[in-house]
């Protein structure tokens, strides 16, 4: 090997070693940030859940964000959900909350922060910080602290499940009594 070839080979090896990159520790963080960005931003969100010509629920919010990678929609500010009667297609109860997350596949939803549900038929009010709604069964449930005020009683406890009308409910680890 002549001197000229050795110099070229040395320069080539040095160039390759200079191009070597360390693993980028920020790549997972960047990927998480990209994944967590909404694909759509909705101003004045109005979403209806309809099943066989029957509206189950109508949701309204000042803003909404859809995330297709995680198949969810997040509603924020002035959340209002009206649960509708299957028989009469009228409102049976309403929910308000600080934010709401909808699973775009199952259409289940979870309400967060200052959650209040009021039944139009039983005049019962539920308050909690987190409440879930199962779309298929049309049931409300929570594992958090809940308080229920009805015309006849005040109950509170940790854990809860009910129908949308708040007419048949269970509170786990309950306390309280009749008014």
């Amino acid at each position: 090997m002549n001197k000229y070839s050795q110099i070229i080979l040395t320069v080539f090896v040095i160039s390759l070693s200079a191009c070597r990159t360390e693993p980028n520790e920020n790549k997972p963080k960047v990927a998480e940030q990209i994944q967590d960005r909404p694909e759509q931003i909705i101003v004045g969100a109005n979403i209806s859940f309809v099943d066989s010509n029957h509206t189950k629920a109508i949701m309204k919010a000042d803003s909404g964000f859809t995330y297709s990678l995680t198949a969810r929609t997040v509603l924020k500010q002035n959340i209002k959900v009206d649960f509708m009667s299957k028989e009469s297609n009228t409102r049976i109860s309403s929910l308000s909350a600080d934010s709401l997350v909808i699973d775009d596949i199952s259409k289940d939803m979870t309400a967060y922060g200052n959650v209040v549900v009021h039944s139009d038929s039983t005049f019962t009010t539920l308050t909690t910080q987190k409440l879930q709604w199962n779309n298929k069964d049309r049931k409300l449930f929570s594992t958090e602290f809940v308080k229920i005020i009805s015309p006849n009683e005040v109950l509170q406890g940790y854990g809860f499940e009910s129908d949308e009308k708040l007419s048949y409910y269970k509170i786990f680890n309950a306390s309280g009594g009749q008014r």
Side-chain angles (χ1 to χ4, degrees), residues 19-169:
C19 292
R20 187 175 151 245
T21 59
E22 295 295 320
N24 188 347
E25 294 177 10
N26 291 329
K27 281 185 181 179
K29 293 176 186 175
V30 170
E32 288 172 13
Q33 290 172 352
I34 291 170
Q35 181 178 357
D36 204 31
R37 288 192 178 162
E39 284 78 33
Q40 295 180 10
I41 298 174
I42 307 159
V43 177
N46 191 351
I47 301 169
S48 296
F49 286 172
V50 179
D51 182 26
S52 302
N53 294 331
H54 162 65
T55 302
K56 291 181 174 184
I58 300 169
M59 285 148 266
K60 296 180 181 179
D62 287 352
S63 59
F65 307 87
T66 61
Y67 301 84
S68 62
L69 289 175
T70 54
R72 64 189 168 102
T73 299
V74 178
L75 302 178
K76 294 184 178 184
Q77 300 169 329
N78 295 317
I79 307 300
K80 176 146 184 184
V81 178
D82 290 333
F83 296 106
M84 308 301 284
S85 167
K86 186 174 185 176
E87 295 79 26
S88 64
N89 209 31
T90 59
R91 186 178 83 176
I92 55 175
S93 61
S94 62
L95 175 148
S96 62
D98 294 339
S99 64
L100 186 79
V101 177
I102 302 167
D103 181 315
D104 292 337
I105 297 168
S106 68
K107 303 302 184 211
D108 294 344
M109 64 183 172
T110 304
Y112 296 95
N114 301 309
V115 180
V116 177
V117 179
H118 179 74
S119 170
D120 294 350
S121 59
T122 64
F123 305 106
T124 300
T125 301
L126 162 79
T127 58
T128 187
Q129 289 301 307
K130 180 181 175 185
L131 183 71
Q132 295 173 280
W133 177 69
N134 181 290
N135 175 44
K136 183 179 176 187
D137 299 333
R138 298 190 67 166
K139 298 286 184 187
L140 301 170
F141 60 96
S142 179
T143 57
E144 304 289 317
F145 177 80
V146 297
K147 184 174 184 178
I148 295 180
I149 301 172
S150 74
N152 302 323
E153 61 191 1
V154 176
L155 297 173
Q156 57 190 23
Y158 288 87
F160 159 87
E161 61 184 48
S162 174
D163 63 334
E164 295 167 327
K165 292 181 184 180
L166 297 178
S167 54
Y168 301 103
Y169 52 84

